[in-house]
Amino acid sequence: MPKRPASNDSPQALIDAAIELFGRHGYSAVSTRALCRHAGTNVAAIKYHFGGKDQLYRGAIQHVVDIFGPRLDMVLAGFIQGRDLAGDDRDRQARLISNLVRGLLNMLLGSEDMKRFVPFVIREFFVPSQHFSLFYDALPRRLHTLFTEIVAMAHGLDPQSEQAVIRAHAVIGQIMVFNIGREILFRRLDWDDYDDARIQRITREVETMVLQTLHLELPDELD
């Protein structure tokens, strides 16, 4: 039985430290001692709460999923509910997709949680851990599948086709680049962060580009 840590040792403090340090330095470069020191816990805390460093890493991924899974559910729900009603009406399709893009950008750019999670998430994208499937199945796969269906709907493609998946990947990139490539944009425009007005301007441009990519007309309010 692992030694019980001090009463002020919090598993959440360790998860927060893991997200920050693993995101900044990578899994191999961060020791359990460094994690405990950053979290303000004693050296027994990781073993006691998680069983080891690898399971703490898994816990950090699960925390990201727990935070953003319900938010993604809310963003996707409106589109999914309206899809059948839209049918083949191109104007209704365009409005649904505009609302989807707007919701995703607000979730990705307007969240303090996402700002903290970005380095950790990007590292998991580029150097997937053995726990990547936990993250992928809960968030990226669901979003990617939906956009593949949108692309297939807009272009009359088979949603299982390679062409539809590749095009969906390109469309999602128009949204994700404002998170993954945020520092490039900040330097180009001399910004220090996203605010409501900037997010609104970005959203307008991205909605326009996504709809044009899908060969859909802009809804009247976006003209």
Side-chain angles (χ1 to χ4, degrees):
M1 178 73 177
K3 179 182 176 183
R4 183 178 180 84
S7 60
N8 63 339
D9 285 347
S10 161
Q12 186 59 53
L14 286 166
I15 285 174
D16 291 341
I19 288 171
E20 181 176 347
L21 295 186
F22 289 146
R24 187 186 304 167
H25 304 295
Y27 181 85
S28 299
V30 179
S31 67
T32 55
R33 187 172 295 277
L35 287 162
C36 290
R37 182 169 60 247
H38 195 80
T41 65
N42 68 40
V43 293
I46 291 177
K47 183 75 171 175
Y48 181 81
H49 291 298
F50 298 96
K53 180 175 141 181
D54 180 66
Q55 288 305 304
L56 171 57
Y57 190 95
R58 188 184 191 283
I61 291 177
Q62 185 64 57
H63 180 65
V64 173
V65 168
D66 289 344
I67 293 293
F68 281 96
R71 299 180 191 182
L72 183 62
D73 289 341
M74 291 181 63
V75 173
L76 300 187
F79 180 86
I80 292 170
Q81 290 170 4
R83 181 171 49 189
D84 290 340
L85 292 175
D88 295 328
D89 187 314
R90 303 284 281 178
D91 184 63
R92 287 187 176 183
Q93 290 175 359
R95 292 175 187 279
L96 279 173
I97 293 166
S98 291
N99 289 336
L100 175 63
V101 169
R102 190 176 303 126
L104 288 170
L105 284 168
N106 283 331
M107 181 184 80
L108 294 172
L109 306 185
S111 166
E112 289 298 318
D113 289 322
M114 180 56 76
K115 195 184 305 182
R116 291 189 300 111
F117 295 166
V118 162
F120 179 70
V121 169
I122 290 177
R123 189 174 288 275
E124 187 65 15
F125 277 143
F126 284 98
V127 189
S129 71
Q130 64 176 326
H131 304 299
F132 180 71
S133 291
L134 173 64
F135 171 70
Y136 169 74
D137 288 337
L139 300 173
R141 181 186 60 79
R142 294 173 57 215
L143 186 62
H144 208 288
T145 299
L146 181 63
F147 268 95
T148 304
E149 293 171 359
I150 289 171
V151 165
M153 175 182 69
H155 292 297
L157 298 173
D158 178 356
Q160 303 302 318
S161 69
E162 182 179 88
Q163 186 180 24
V165 173
I166 291 172
R167 288 190 183 185
H169 202 67
V171 171
I172 293 171
Q174 295 181 76
I175 300 169
M176 296 300 296
V177 70
F178 288 94
N179 209 332
I180 294 173
R182 60 191 292 146
E183 292 303 322
I184 297 171
L185 186 66
F186 288 176
R187 290 190 181 220
R188 287 298 316 276
L189 295 177
D190 196 27
W191 291 356
D192 57 355
D193 203 351
Y194 290 127
D195 59 26
D196 289 343
R198 290 167 179 170
I199 293 172
Q200 186 175 10
R201 294 200 296 276
I202 289 168
T203 299
R204 183 181 180 86
E205 295 298 330
V206 176
E207 285 177 330
T208 301
M209 290 189 300
V210 167
L211 291 174
Q212 288 174 342
T213 300
L214 296 172
H215 299 166
L216 290 168
E217 297 292 332
L218 300 179
D220 292 340
E221 64 268 23
L222 295 181
D223 287 342

